[in-house]
Amino acid sequence: MREEDSNWFSRWEEELPPPEDLMPLSQTLITPELAVAFDIRHHATAPSHQQNLHLQQQQQSFHLQNQSQQQQQPTTPSNPTAQQNQQQQPSSGDFADSGELGSGNGGDEPARTLKRPRLVWTPQLHKRFVDAVAHLGIKNAVPKTIMQLMSVDGLTRENVASHLQKYRLYLKRMQGLSGGGGGSGGGSGGGGVDAATDHLFASSPVPPHFLQQGRGNSDHFLPFVQVPPALQHHHQMVAAAAAHPQLQQPPQFHRPVGHFGSPPNNGHFDHPFLSRQPQPQQQQQLHRMGAPVHSPVAAGYVEDMESANASGGRKVLTLFPTGDD
DNA sequence: AAGATAATAT
DNA sequence: CATATTATCT
């Protein structure tokens, strides 16, 4: 197979995040991963599979909200589901480590049974996702690979898979009602064909070739999509965010609701995302893949975009890839 | 609607 | 067996 064509892979290797962007971890609580890794309910039948646990020493936090889930079907009864919440505030905060979560915990914090909070796909994150998919080509755009290319800390394969599923539906849906024209990325131009305005998806400039090329075409001539090396401000991202400004709230239970990712009516949001640390995290091996994947896939990305506007129409400022965006 | 998780397929 | 895709649930 023509590995020679891997121009996309050309050279992302060396674009790791700046060393100094690590914000002071305000991590007061156990890292979810850690917790999860440790706490996996190990009794019950089939263990191992809940999710992959990669032990990495990430210090950043994840955002993610917590969602409690419970059993419902009679077929699988018994399951001590305890609901636990954890929160934290990355930005500007400092860590007030009031002893919570730790050991003695003065009250009642099972601290066990920790689930992973919901990931909030913010536009930036999605953008990364799309870029990754674009660069991989529809063919290689499978969850694992995408995840790796995105290099977003805390992002799991399932996260990507789930999102990918939705994204595919979105693409299909669009194909349906878009005649072909043009592609104005993002479409949205005048209205009408905007279709479902899937908020999130609509915000990123869907790569052209996505909309066509149905399955069955083994050929792939991906156009030239490449990221200009150098000069890009890449912010780091971490798959997380904050439980948003909820200052006054006792560090105990807090209703996870409300992601701050989508402001109901405002101009923009802003959250510092951090890219996954170049930490020597164990790199999963890529099996047969012609691609020369040596160093940990880390990509430098460009991210910038605004949120749609609030009332009435929306103007997308972020134009499509004009060379690079 | 958005994301997780169970079920199923490769 | 690991990973991908599909289906369901919350």
Side-chain angles (χ1 to χ4, degrees):
Chain A
M1 332 200 136
R2 305 235 184 326
E3 272 72 308
E4 54 223 76
D5 283 60
S6 12
N7 25 347
W8 356 302
F9 268 76
S10 35
R11 246 186 160 1
W12 319 30
E13 349 207 298
E14 303 291 313
E15 279 301 329
L16 293 187
E20 66 232 54
D21 265 26
L22 315 183
M23 60 162 58
L25 31 155
S26 32
Q27 197 90 33
T28 36
L29 22 91
I30 32 181
T31 66
E33 311 255 82
L34 214 351
V36 170
F38 264 65
D39 261 88
I40 313 180
R41 56 1 162 64
H42 44 289
H43 65 351
T45 54
S48 66
H49 106 256
Q50 193 83 356
Q51 53 163 56
N52 34 353
L53 33 136
H54 10 54
L55 274 290
Q56 34 175 307
Q57 15 187 321
Q58 40 152 189
Q59 42 223 343
Q60 291 327 324
S61 41
F62 302 35
H63 156 205
L64 323 147
Q65 16 181 1
N66 225 8
Q67 179 196 2
S68 1
Q69 203 179 328
Q70 267 214 205
Q71 251 69 60
Q72 5 86 234
Q73 295 305 17
T75 45
T76 31
S78 78
N79 191 352
T81 39
Q83 322 157 9
Q84 260 306 299
N85 294 323
Q86 57 175 171
Q87 51 161 306
Q88 53 165 21
Q89 307 219 282
S91 47
S92 73
D94 26 59
F95 39 91
D97 304 35
S98 0
E100 41 218 345
L101 80 92
S103 12
N105 83 27
D108 43 276
E109 290 274 312
R112 314 185 162 184
T113 45
L114 210 275
K115 288 185 90 116
R116 216 167 156 81
R118 269 177 74 131
L119 171 85
V120 186
W121 284 88
T122 153
Q124 281 92 328
L125 196 50
H126 178 66
K127 166 103 197 278
R128 245 181 125 86
F129 168 85
V130 173
D131 270 348
V133 175
H135 284 119
L136 286 171
I138 307 294
K139 292 185 54 191
N140 303 318
V142 299
K144 194 182 185 181
T145 320
I146 298 175
M147 179 193 70
Q148 296 188 144
L149 263 178
M150 288 178 69
S151 298
V152 170
D153 160 35
L155 192 63
T156 70
R157 192 169 58 80
E158 354 291 324
N159 287 138
V160 176
S162 185
H163 192 67
L164 181 60
Q165 181 176 45
K166 291 288 170 66
Y167 187 61
R168 280 173 174 161
L169 288 179
Y170 167 75
L171 291 181
K172 268 200 172 154
R173 184 170 293 188
M174 266 218 142
Q175 289 241 332
L177 11 155
S178 114
S184 43
S188 77
V193 234
D194 278 325
T197 48
D198 291 56
H199 331 269
L200 217 193
F201 299 140
S203 50
S204 92
V206 178
H209 41 286
F210 275 35
L211 296 178
Q212 47 153 311
Q213 199 152 114
R215 297 236 158 179
N217 190 346
S218 5
D219 239 85
H220 64 317
F221 349 134
L222 3 162
F224 13 84
V225 268
Q226 51 142 39
V227 275
L231 53 89
Q232 339 188 34
H233 36 291
H234 35 287
H235 301 162
Q236 311 194 311
M237 288 182 118
V238 76
H244 79 62
Q246 250 185 343
L247 304 165
Q248 40 221 217
Q249 190 130 351
Q252 293 245 291
F253 301 39
H254 98 295
R255 261 306 70 132
V257 230
H259 7 213
F260 72 116
S262 32
N265 44 0
N266 86 28
H268 29 340
F269 19 30
D270 51 294
H271 8 164
F273 274 113
L274 301 138
S275 225
R276 179 190 247 187
Q277 309 278 178
Q279 293 279 294
Q281 47 190 197
Q282 57 166 96
Q283 172 84 22
Q284 194 85 348
Q285 47 140 24
L286 300 222
H287 33 274
R288 20 7 203 136
M289 206 172 172
V293 206
H294 334 322
S295 43
V297 251
Y301 261 101
V302 284
E303 61 227 42
D304 47 352
M305 56 106 32
E306 7 289 302
S307 48
N309 99 2
S311 33
R314 55 167 184 202
K315 9 166 129 199
V316 183
L317 303 185
T318 47
L319 274 308
F320 22 80
T322 25
D324 66 332
D325 97 308

